[in-house]
Amino acid sequence: MAAPPNEFAFDLAAALAAAERWSEREDHHETFEEASRNKQYSKVDTAERCAARTNRLLGRLRVNAPASAEVIGREFQESMGADFANSEVTPKMVSDALLERVIGMTRDFQFVEFLEMAVFVSKSVGRVETKLGGGRVSFGTGFMVSPRLLMTNHHVLTSADDAAKSTIEFDFQRDRRGKVMRSQKFQLDPTTFFLNDKKLDFALVAVSLGSSGRPLRDYGWCPLRKDPGKIITGEPINIIQHPKGELKQVVIRENRLLDAFDGADIFYHYEADTEPGSSGSPVFNDQWEVVALHHSGVPRRNKKGELLDIDGTVWREGGDPSRLDWVANEGVRISKLVEFISKASVSNAAKPLLKEFLEPKLPVESESDQASVISPDIPSSDTTNHKDLPMSDCVKPSSGCSVTMTVPLHITLSFGVPAAGTTSLVVGPTATPDEGLLEKVEPDPSDTDYERRPGYESDFLGLDVPFPKLTNASRPKAYVLDGEGGDDATLIKYHHYSVIFNRVRKLAFVAGVNYDPTAKVQHPRDKDGDKWFYDPRVTPEKELQAGEALYVGNPLDRGHLVRRADAGWGATKKEAKLANDDTFHFTNCSPQHEITNQGKVKEAPSGLKLWGKLEDHVASQGKTNKRNLCIFNGPVFRKSDVKYLGIQLPKEFWKVEVLGVSRTV
């Protein structure tokens, strides 16, 4: 029997309303097409909006490209007044020539920071997943708008109950090498903050800080501003989204704002490729400021007002939304959203989060994102705290200076040629130790309570590969962790892998690992030999875990269930070492005869390839095909297994591997 289909956030009523608004603006569409060909911006938006946009862009040019601003000033000296450097463009001064000159400076050629800013803001965009029951889930898109608050559509989170059953998943995307990244989910927390509105089709909800991986602050946020001048009709727009709940994607620049409704409505219409599941995506201008909250496509209709399928036939209600013939897209204007939210009534406990949202500041990049590049060619003369600057106000330092940021580490970057005896980079209060000086095998010293170990991740391949579950007969034999409930109560988590432990046999039922054979760092085997240790969570440790005594004076090997090399990978040497060392817990150890385990002992029959060779073969599949793997291993427990030193020794073992999609480009 097939699994029930997942759903993608789609609001038919919103789509029908968008189609109606589109039909009412047919005259504008004809004007827009003619005006866009002739670059006559003033014909498709109001003089007030054009003036606000011009002033906003001129302000940026005066800071970032003063020579260009000066050239424009000389060209329009007469119309703009003698003191161009301090003058504001009024609606009466607006002309197509001025708009083309100012907007043209940001149209065809982009400074390279355009790409860097795109990557920076994209971190805060994630996939919203809501559990519907019966094994079904619904997907939408959302993005952080403050350190704790997430924004998406009302039709994605129609109630606080929906939010309580939802998560936001970040880093569900490919990296520059085409590799599916390890994503991270955070539970939504509507009890702390929840606000939504059907007409404006938005939901604003707190995100739980609890995490076993990267902290929430690492993903940043996109501050929302209600001030005018962020975009006018005809300019490019960019959307970051999870269409159909798939990996994060972007539509960029070859899309235009089609209709601003003269600033009189709460909506924008624009070109862009979107799908069901894109609901709740941020719509950006070319300066990567959020200008709208995407909420619906605009479906094409025939003369009878019926919605059309992509094949030209009539689309019937209840059909696949992805089959609709979309003519445009519709989003809710950010200025209208912020205005509404600023007047909302919230509980006293929620007011600090609302205040934080309404006083937007650009997030400071996390330590992992900061480049410690010292350039003597950057002149500067003043000290600036960049964490308090909005995106449009961030400026380059201009002569010998220091830039101080609170991360919470106190970091001072010194620009200009350093004086003799001084250093260019000072980091305190704690600097990262040289990874080459790390101790050999030991449990993670920074996580002695094991709370930050994420364990096996079922969505590691970009599809759901669940961890095996025990039968009703086996479940009573599993070790149950204190303070846990449900299936998690028996799942013992480590770096990159998890096990279910058999407290009766004193060995693991099953171990499952996420293996990335193309990770930047693969930790080598320690040349000084292995060191195994007990897991303090499984108590009494020496009574329940088969330990060192089992392997002394006999041909039994300490057989890794999760292979050291399969778990010992990471983006840094430190991450790879911690995962490598975690495999040396006795909970991940199962006794195997040395011939079985290694397959290369002298006594082994010629050409015999046993467990060790099988492991090598499995790993080679991932390396050769550039695929991530999920690998499960376990012993076969039989009542007839021979007992030795109080431990029944399994004679058989099993292995299952699941390969991800090839990443060969």
Side-chain angles (χ1 to χ4, degrees), residues 228-250:
K230 292 187 285 294
I231 195 168
I232 61 171
T233 305
E235 283 195 88
I237 59 97
N238 311 286
I239 304 179
I240 300 173
Q241 57 183 307
H242 284 278
K244 290 187 175 180
E246 296 171 354
L247 296 169
K248 190 185 298 180
Q249 299 172 41
V250 59

Side-chain angles (χ1 to χ4, degrees), residues 3-8 129-139 165:
N6 294 330
E7 296 183 7
F8 309 106
E129 178 180 325
T130 304
K131 294 181 179 178
L132 303 176
R136 295 182 305 127
V137 295
S138 175
F139 293 112
K165 296 181 288 186

Side-chain angles (χ1 to χ4, degrees), residues 542-604:
K542 295 183 179 180
E543 292 183 21
L544 287 187
Q545 301 174 51
E548 190 65 27
L550 183 63
Y551 303 95
V552 177
N554 56 53
L556 292 177
D557 269 357
R558 305 168 192 81
H560 280 85
L561 289 177
V562 165
R563 197 173 70 139
R564 178 203 62 77
D566 292 350
W569 54 268
T572 65
K573 290 181 180 179
K574 182 177 181 180
E575 179 188 359
K577 175 174 170 49
L578 292 177
N580 171 88
D581 292 1
D582 251 10
T583 64
F584 288 91
H585 282 88
F586 279 119
T587 48
N588 183 46
C589 187
S590 191
Q592 289 185 330
H593 194 283
E594 59 187 6
I595 294 178
T596 303
N597 187 41
Q598 300 175 45
K600 59 182 181 181
V601 179
K602 292 180 180 179
E603 289 79 5

Side-chain angles (χ1 to χ4, degrees), residues 218-265:
D218 275 9
Y219 295 97
W221 62 91
C222 297
L224 303 188
R225 306 181 184 285
K226 67 177 180 180
D227 46 322
K230 292 187 285 294
I231 195 168
I232 61 171
T233 305
E235 283 195 88
I237 59 97
N238 311 286
I239 304 179
I240 300 173
Q241 57 183 307
H242 284 278
K244 290 187 175 180
E246 296 171 354
L247 296 169
K248 190 185 298 180
Q249 299 172 41
V250 59
V251 292
I252 192 168
R253 305 215 75 238
E254 293 302 317
N255 313 282
R256 300 168 297 171
L257 181 66
L258 301 175
D259 194 353
F261 293 85
D262 300 325
D265 209 328

Side-chain angles (χ1 to χ4, degrees), residues 35-47:
S36 63
R37 285 193 298 270
N38 299 315
K39 298 181 180 179
Q40 295 173 316
Y41 300 95
S42 62
K43 287 189 175 181
V44 289
D45 220 325
T46 67

